[in-house]
Every structure is written in structure tokens, then in C-alpha cells.
Amino acid sequence: MMTRQQLQSILKWVVYAGIYGGLLMPLVFIPVVIFPFVFSKLIVFQVIVGLTFPAFCVLAWLDRQYRPRFHWLTAAIAAYFLALALSVVFAVDPFRAWWGNQERMNGLFTLLHFFAWLVMASSVLKTWTQWRRLLNYQAVLSAFMAVVALLQKVYPNLLLFPAGPRVGGLLDNPIYMAAYQIFNLFFLAMLFLKTSSKKARIFYAAIALIDIFAFFAAQSRGALLGLGAGVLFFAAYYGFFSKSKKARMAVVTAMVVLFGTYGVLVANRNTAFVQSLPMIPRVLSFDLGAGTDTRLIAWKIGWEGFLERPITGWGLDNFHILFNAKYNPHSLRYGSYETWFDRAHNTVVDVIAMTGILGFITFFGIFGALFFTVWRAFRKGWIDLPIAAVLTSLPVAYFVQNLFVFDHPAGFSMSYLMYALIIAATRGDFIGAPSTTAAGAPEEKKSVSVALWTFAVLELVVLALVWRTSIIPFHASRLAIQANQRLTNEQALAWMQEAGQSWTPYLDEQTFLLSRNLMSIAGAGNLDRLPKWQEMYALVKTLSQEEIRRHPNNTHTHFVYARLLDDMSRSIVTADSPLAEQEYLAAIKASPKRQQLWYGLARFYIQRGRIEEAVEISRNVMEFDQDLGQGHWTYGLTLMYDNEQPKEGSLEIIRSQTVPYPYAISDVRELIPLIESYDIQKDRAGVAATVERIAALPQPQTLLYLQTAYRLEKLGYPDLRDRALALAAEKDPTVPAAYQEAVNKQNAPAVVATSTSADQGQTLTGKGSSGPRK
């Protein structure tokens, strides 16, 4: 028969497994699912916390000392979660607010697991000795994370996706890596200051050095500002409250050296020496580029959203709905990538927009409770100066860096670790003395058998919940990506069907991947490679309709579905044409000023002979932003090739290159309409300048060089034809001979295909993705 002490010991070890195992989450990387750097981490975290939290509940029931006690910070976090819950209830999209999406995993369901982890850690780990063990463990984990990130500098293909100049390691995103290491550097500072062992200090300094290298390899300027603010606050706090003149002098000296070095580097940032230093030029640059403008747009939209729904906001993880509803056409000035925001890239704006004034007040209430409890514990002598300085300055660093980014899985794991540490540290028993909140009542007697049965029942209930909400969605995601990676495999359809039949709240990425692949294969005319493409198409339609039912206000889902229906109905499944138009209009209703949606609808009308409607759309969209070249370019193409108005169209195409935000010619194919436009306007200099742009464009298929040269010849520019061939030959030496061979064959399709204005329109506006509209 198990004794009470044995049961408590087992339960306690299970809880410790949950606490320590939860911190492994940032290291998790299972590359068999969609978004493995996020989704696999959070699924594993949900499983760990879900399976260990019942043990904590029974342990707290058996032994009063493990029950959560009142703490101002715990109360503030609980109040914030209440505000989050209200934002879910009154969200524009409650389903998304509760579950989140696979790319972010920031729904309330996931966040509740962090809160459960916080309760376990702050209730079971109460003394500095216990916390020192946990922080030592975290220090080793941080070093491992840093080493993986630094290895990407040498082996860019170390992980699933090739790393760029900025590395993110097992977090993939460099911003996430930098934010993660901010916490670790402050934890290491605390450990360093709290030990007198030289060996321990060398160990902590070595890990800190590795983490700093990883921090700078990430090259995140927002994180650098956060770290700088935290270090400055730490120095001021430590220097002001320290009773040691030697310590004050050391802090002042270190700050002078640190900021002096930074100042010298900034002053000389344009010199050859500084520019040659690895990673340094980016963190010294104050030119934030287009990212600043697009974030300012998102912040303004967030504020407008708050004014519209001020109490509970638009709903947790619902910022994408707000952003699309109030989309600013100026966003497209900086590229289409900068137009799909699902976060404001500012945690404060996210909070006030998504959770309203209730979330805003309780969010700042967390920081208020945090600073109050740390200050009170320091004044009462429950913590010493090193701990007080770190626990005051780390939240400052965290808050400042979050003004430029949003929270993420690794950030949550560290912030909740920080909260749990502060809750434990700001009680008297952290250093061994009883605090005023310590429970003094005698322990109640509980039946061991009742407790054991309670634990077994709770564990079975939670196991069923974990299976349903974590394991099955993981399985569905694994099957979906396996099918999409092996689309021609005989089992691909069976995998897709099994994934579609497996319940998961994360259908969006399944539908996107399958839709994208079918569009790509259909556009290339290779559907015959998929003997069961009809079944695949029927399946993705079913999944897309289910996703739209769940998230009727998601612009992106409507748009992707419209594109799929459009491409498939053009010549393959013509009966779906009305549904394609319906989905384009639904997407536009959700985001009335988003240019891409209108361009898609105009393309739909052109390919079905509804030219007047396409012209009207193109004209109206151009008015969204007269300074944006893409609007003039698209309108010009429509006039010139589809509406047979070459003079008017050519003027718009030329204007697309002279407005403040000109249309970026990205392909040799797009030079042909520009050449023809200058020719129509009798501007030989413009034609010549356009030809010179061949040198700066990526090398395309040889055919496009031949078509460009042939158009120049037909337009009467033999000298410019030769110049185009010479420029092309610098990248593809076979071009001149290939051109001569094609000309000698008078009816060669590759050349004749663009020999008339009618054919030019077909080639350039293109069926599918072959023209400048791509």
C-alpha cells in the first residue's frame, strides 16, 4: 500500500517534470508538420503541461504548502486573463480567439497552458536554492540554443530552411532569438552576482558570452534597444541603492565603457573598418527602412480599431480582421509582403486593439504589481540588491523590446518564467524567513486512496483532452504536409483525406497548401500528373468552405479560395466560375481597399471577356494611391492590351515609372510593354533606357530575351535590338545564336508569338501566371 509520503513524492516529481520540461519548449523542432518552429513547440508544451498539471492539483489538495497563495502579481495576471477571456467571448472571430492559428498558436487555449505552468512553478519552487537549480538548467538550455544559432553562420542549411545573414537557430526568426537571449542574459547576471565561487562565475560568464554572440548574430535592433534600456536601468538601480562605493564605481565605469564604445562605433559606422565587422553595421544603423512606415500604418489601424471597439477589443488573435477591414492602400508601396499583418508589431497596440481597455488596464496592471512587489520585497529584506535590480530591470528590457515586436512562444516561456520567479522571490520564504502570507494552519489529513483515484481520473480526463486538442491536430498537420510534399504519390489523396477527416482547429494552412499546389500544377498544364486531381479539388473545396464557415471574416481564406476557383474554372471546371466571383467579392467586402483583391477580380473579368468591368476596377484601384506605380501599371496594361487603347494605356505604363513609388520591373518579360509604351509616345530615349535595364534584371528563360529583341526589331530599332542581345549575352552567351536561328525560321512559334499587338496582349497579360500581372 502506497504511503502518503510516497504519493506526494511521486506527484512532486511529476510536477517537477512539467516545470523543467516546459522550459524545453523553445528547443523543440519536429520538422514533419506545418510551421515546425512554432506549431511543434506549442503542441509539445501543451502535452507536457496538460499531463503534469493534474499531479499539481492533487499535490496541492494533499499538502497545503503547495497551494497557490495570494500574490499581487498572480492576481494581476489572473485579471489580465479574465480580460482575455472577455475578448474571446465578444470577439469578431471567437473561434480564432480561442484556438489561434497554426502559425502563431497565440489563442487563449494555448496561453492558459502558460498560466498553468506559472501556477505550478511559483507554488512548488519557493526558495532561492530551488530557483538557482532551475536557472542553472535554463542557462545550459540558453547556451545550447545560442550554439545552434551560431552554427547556422557556418552551416546555413543546418535546419529545415536555409538561414540568411541573420540567424534564429531553433526559433527560426532572428527577432525571437534576440528576445529569448535578453531574458537569459539577465538571469545569468543574477546567478553571477549571487555566487562567490570563481568557477561558477567563469561558467556563467562563458555562457553569457555565447548568448551575447547569438544575440548579435540575430541583429535585431528592437531587441538591442530593449537590452540597452534594461542594462541602463539595472546600472542606475544598482548604483543608486548600493552601499558599496566600489560597486558604484564599477557600475559607472562599465556603463561609460559600454556606451562610449557604442558611441564611437556609431560615429564611425560608415568607415570601412566598422562596415567590415560582422553583424555590427546593422545594429548600428538607424535607417529602419520600409518596416518603420508599415508598422506606423499598423499602429494607426490598431488605434482606430480600439476607438471602434473600446471595451473588449476585436478579440484575441483577431488583429488580421481589423487590419484588413481598415487596410491602408499605402501599405502596398513597400511590397505585397508588407500588406498581410496579423499583428501590429507592437505589444501595447496589439493589446489595446485586440482586448480593448479592459486588456490594456490589466496588462499594465501586471507591470504595476511586478514593480510594487519587487520594491516591497527589497525594502523588507526578502531579496537583496542583485536580485531586486535584475527583477526590476528585466521587465523594462522586455517591455521596451516588445514595443517593436509581438510576443511569441519562446518569449512567453521566458516571460512566464520571469513572472514565476518574481512571485516566489517576493515572499519571505525565498531566503528562508517566513513571509506574512505563509500558511500556518495544520495540515489536513487526506485519504491516500482517494487522492490516488482522484489523480488517476484527472489524468485520464486530461489525457483525453490532450489527445483531442493537441495530438490529433499534430497528426492532421503531419499528414497534410506529407501529402503536399509528395503530391504525385499514390497515397497523397488518402493522406489528405485522413488529414481532412481528423478534427483540428487549424485548417487554414491545409487549405492554403493544397490550393497553392493545385493552382501551380494547373497553371503549368500538368494536372494529368495527378490522376486523382478531381478528388483533390473536391476535397480542398470542402475544406475551404469549412474554413470559411469557421472564419467568415478572414480575407486571406476568401482570396485563396477565389484564386483556386478562378484558375480551375477558367477551362477545367467552368461551372465554378460564379463561385469564384462570389469569393472575390466576399474577400473585397472584408477588405475594401486591398488592391490585390481588386486586381484578382479584374483579372477574372478579363479572362471571361468582361473588359469594361475590368477597366472600371483598374481605374478605381489606381485612385486608391496615385503615388503608387503598380496601380498605373495595371491600369495601363488593361487599357493597352485588353481595351485596345494603346495611347492612353502607354501613358499610364510610363507614368508607373515616374511616380514617387514606381512599379518595380522585376522580369525581362515586363520590359516589352514598357518598350512599346515609349514607342507609342515616340520616345526613343525611353526605349533605349528601358533596354539598358536588361543588365540589372535576373536572367530569365532564353525565350524572353528573344522576344524582347524581336519586338525591338519589329518596332524599327535594329541598333537597340543588337544592344539588347549584347546585354543578354553577358548573362546567357547562347542568346545571339538562338535569336539568329529563330529569325531564320520565319514561322518559329517562340518568336512569332509576340509579333502582333493582339498576340502581345495574350503573351503579356497572360493566361494564368505568364504575364506582367503575375
Side-chain angles (χ1 to χ4, degrees):
M1 179 67 179
M2 184 179 295
T3 66
R4 179 190 182 87
Q5 288 74 22
Q6 288 174 328
L7 177 58
Q8 287 186 201
S9 178
I10 292 172
L11 294 173
K12 191 174 179 180
W13 279 109
V14 173
V15 174
Y16 269 108
I19 295 171
Y20 278 77
L23 292 178
L24 287 172
M25 180 265 286
L27 282 70
V28 173
F29 174 61
I30 308 176
V32 297
V33 292
I34 305 168
F35 293 116
F37 290 102
V38 175
F39 183 64
S40 66
K41 296 180 192 300
L42 270 305
I43 290 295
V44 169
F45 183 73
Q46 289 174 6
V47 171
I48 290 173
V49 174
L51 295 181
T52 58
F53 192 70
F56 167 75
C57 294
V58 177
L59 179 64
W61 178 55
L62 281 173
D63 194 337
R64 174 184 297 272
Q65 69 171 313
Y66 297 116
R67 297 176 189 175
R69 293 176 285 165
F70 177 81
H71 191 282
W72 285 108
L73 181 53
T74 307
I77 295 172
Y80 178 59
F81 268 81
L82 178 60
L84 294 182
L86 289 173
S87 81
V88 172
V89 172
F90 297 104
V92 176
D93 185 345
F95 192 97
R96 173 72 174 258
W98 173 252
W99 292 109
N101 74 330
Q102 194 163 347
E103 183 180 6
R104 304 292 186 202
M105 295 291 287
N106 277 356
L108 183 57
F109 177 76
T110 299
L111 296 183
L112 285 171
H113 288 76
F114 285 102
F115 187 70
W117 186 92
L118 165 77
V119 172
M120 287 197 297
S122 59
S123 301
V124 174
L125 306 179
K126 299 182 178 180
T127 67
W128 168 243
T129 301
Q130 293 171 319
W131 274 97
R132 183 175 57 204
R133 294 194 194 102
L134 185 67
L135 293 178
N136 280 329
Y137 168 78
Q138 176 56 39
V140 174
L141 297 184
S142 76
F144 179 82
M145 293 284 285
V147 168
V148 173
L150 292 172
L151 283 174
Q152 286 186 300
K153 299 295 291 184
V154 183
Y155 306 105
N157 295 314
L158 180 67
L159 300 175
L160 186 62
F161 304 107
R166 303 168 60 196
V167 295
L170 288 167
L171 301 180
D172 189 46
N173 191 321
I175 297 173
Y176 296 172
M177 171 57 67
Y180 176 79
Q181 295 298 359
I182 287 177
F183 287 92
N184 291 301
L185 290 171
F186 277 93
F187 292 146
L188 286 164
M190 179 189 295
L191 291 168
F192 183 91
L193 293 171
K194 286 292 292 176
T195 184
S196 57
S197 167
K198 290 185 178 179
K199 290 183 179 179
R201 288 194 166 189
I202 292 173
F203 173 73
Y204 296 139
I207 292 181
L209 190 62
I210 296 171
D211 289 353
I212 287 172
F213 279 130
F215 177 87
F216 279 99
Q219 301 183 51
S220 172
R221 288 170 289 199
L224 180 64
L225 287 174
L227 180 62
V231 170
L232 186 61
F233 200 89
F234 173 86
Y237 193 101
Y238 201 94
F240 186 81
F241 290 107
S242 177
K243 297 178 181 179
S244 168
K245 292 184 178 179
K246 185 177 180 181
R248 290 181 181 179
M249 184 59 67
V251 167
V252 171
T253 302
M255 288 301 98
V256 169
V257 172
L258 179 63
F259 287 97
T261 301
Y262 183 75
V264 170
L265 290 173
V266 169
N268 296 277
R269 62 183 180 274
N270 295 322
T271 63
F273 171 73
V274 174
Q275 288 295 315
S276 68
L277 297 175
M279 302 170 288
I280 297 299
R282 175 177 167 81
V283 297
L284 294 179
S285 173
F286 296 99
D287 178 14
L288 301 180
T292 302
D293 297 319
T294 53
R295 291 185 185 190
L296 289 174
I297 289 172
W299 297 353
K300 183 180 179 182
I301 289 174
W303 177 251
E304 292 172 353
F306 163 69
L307 296 178
E308 188 170 317
R309 297 174 65 97
I311 307 302
T312 58
W314 286 67
L316 184 63
D317 210 34
N318 275 208
F319 188 83
H320 64 292
I321 298 176
L322 164 62
F323 184 82
N324 285 319
K326 298 184 178 298
Y327 175 81
N328 186 335
H330 290 179
S331 296
L332 193 57
R333 294 175 173 182
Y334 311 103
S336 59
Y337 179 79
E338 295 292 337
T339 67
W340 293 101
F341 271 47
D342 64 348
R343 288 293 187 279
H345 291 265
N346 180 307
T347 298
V348 175
V349 176
D350 279 336
V351 166
I352 199 168
M354 293 192 291
T355 63
I357 193 66
L358 296 179
F360 182 77
I361 291 172
T362 52
F363 174 77
F364 278 96
I366 292 175
F367 286 90
L370 185 155
F371 292 127
F372 166 72
T373 53
V374 171
W375 172 249
R376 184 186 64 170
F378 179 52
R379 299 299 296 171
K380 286 180 174 288
W382 295 348
I383 55 176
D384 57 15
L385 180 57
I387 295 178
V390 168
L391 296 185
T392 303
S393 55
L394 175 53
V396 172
Y398 173 57
F399 179 83
V400 171
Q401 72 93 27
N402 262 6
L403 293 177
F404 304 95
V405 72
F406 47 85
D407 256 323
H408 48 89
F412 280 129
S413 71
M414 293 294 95
S415 62
Y416 280 83
L417 174 63
M418 176 185 72
Y419 295 148
L421 173 58
I422 290 172
I423 291 168
T426 51
R427 290 195 173 108
D429 41 7
F430 190 68
I431 58 174
S435 69
T436 57
T437 58
E443 184 53 55
E444 306 165 17
K445 299 296 182 183
K446 298 287 190 310
S447 167
V448 172
S449 60
V450 172
L452 191 58
W453 276 106
T454 302
F455 174 58
V457 171
L458 279 176
E459 196 66 35
L460 286 174
V461 171
V462 170
L463 180 60
L465 183 66
V466 166
W467 185 265
R468 173 74 169 173
T469 60
S470 298
I471 302 300
I472 292 179
F474 183 91
H475 177 64
S477 183
R478 182 183 65 81
L479 287 172
I481 199 163
Q482 178 176 284
N484 278 278
Q485 288 175 342
R486 307 173 189 175
L487 212 56
T488 58
N489 189 294
E490 293 182 359
Q491 293 296 313
L493 178 61
W495 293 330
M496 290 176 188
Q497 290 172 334
E498 185 179 350
Q501 293 165 2
S502 303
W503 183 87
T504 175
Y506 313 113
L507 276 179
D508 53 341
E509 294 304 327
Q510 284 190 43
T511 59
F512 172 73
L513 284 177
L514 184 51
S515 297
R516 182 193 64 184
N517 288 336
L518 282 178
M519 284 188 284
S520 176
I521 293 172
N526 293 326
L527 274 180
D528 56 341
R529 292 174 52 203
L530 302 176
K532 298 181 179 179
W533 70 264
Q534 294 95 336
E535 291 91 336
M536 290 183 181
Y537 180 52
L539 175 61
V540 76
K541 285 178 64 178
T542 300
L543 295 176
S544 297
Q545 289 162 6
E546 170 62 18
E547 180 66 8
I548 287 171
R549 185 189 64 79
R550 289 180 178 182
H551 308 289
N553 297 293
N554 191 333
T555 304
H556 191 257
T557 301
H558 284 292
F559 184 42
V560 171
Y561 190 33
R563 287 289 308 277
L564 172 68
L565 294 167
D566 183 358
D567 286 1
M568 297 298 287
S569 68
R570 195 176 313 130
S571 58
I572 304 170
V573 190
T574 55
D576 282 341
S577 187
L579 184 55
E581 182 178 8
Q582 175 184 314
E583 287 303 320
Y584 274 126
L585 293 173
I588 289 169
K589 182 179 179 181
S591 187
K593 292 290 186 178
R594 181 179 284 279
Q595 296 100 317
Q596 299 102 308
L597 310 181
W598 288 104
Y599 292 150
L601 182 59
R603 172 176 170 268
F604 173 87
Y605 287 151
I606 288 171
Q607 291 162 345
R608 285 153 183 84
R610 298 162 64 176
I611 304 301
E612 291 184 5
E613 292 169 276
V615 170
E616 182 66 18
I617 286 174
S618 299
R619 181 188 301 114
N620 291 338
V621 174
M622 183 181 65
E623 297 298 328
F624 287 176
D625 184 0
Q626 281 281 359
D627 289 340
L628 179 64
Q630 185 165 342
H632 295 280
W633 176 267
T634 304
Y635 183 44
L637 289 177
T638 305
L639 290 175
M640 188 167 172
Y641 296 112
D642 302 309
N643 208 41
E644 298 181 359
Q645 293 179 271
K647 289 186 178 180
E648 295 84 349
S650 62
L651 286 173
E652 293 298 336
I653 290 174
I654 293 171
R655 189 172 293 124
S656 76
Q657 303 300 295
T658 60
V659 292
Y661 297 90
Y663 177 73
I665 300 293
S666 59
D667 194 295
V668 170
R669 172 180 54 238
E670 295 182 319
L671 293 180
I672 296 178
L674 189 56
I675 287 170
E676 292 193 339
S677 295
Y678 280 120
D679 176 68
I680 290 169
Q681 297 300 322
K682 310 300 182 184
D683 185 349
R684 178 185 169 84
V687 175
T690 302
V691 169
E692 294 300 320
R693 296 173 74 165
I694 291 175
L697 293 173
Q699 179 179 331
Q701 294 178 346
T702 302
L703 173 62
L704 294 179
Y705 283 135
L706 305 186
Q707 290 177 341
T708 304
Y710 192 83
R711 291 308 295 162
L712 288 165
E713 180 173 330
K714 295 297 290 183
L715 292 172
Y717 302 106
D719 56 329
L720 295 180
R721 173 207 61 196
D722 293 341
R723 177 59 178 163
L725 290 172
L727 290 171
E730 294 177 5
K731 297 182 179 181
D732 183 354
T734 68
V735 167
Y739 179 78
Q740 191 59 50
E741 180 182 355
V743 169
N744 291 338
K745 299 177 182 178
Q746 295 182 2
N747 294 316
V751 177
V752 175
T754 58
S755 63
T756 67
S757 60
D759 290 330
Q760 179 85 342
Q762 289 295 320
T763 301
L764 295 174
T765 59
K767 299 288 187 181
S769 59
S770 62
R773 300 180 191 281
K774 181 178 178 182

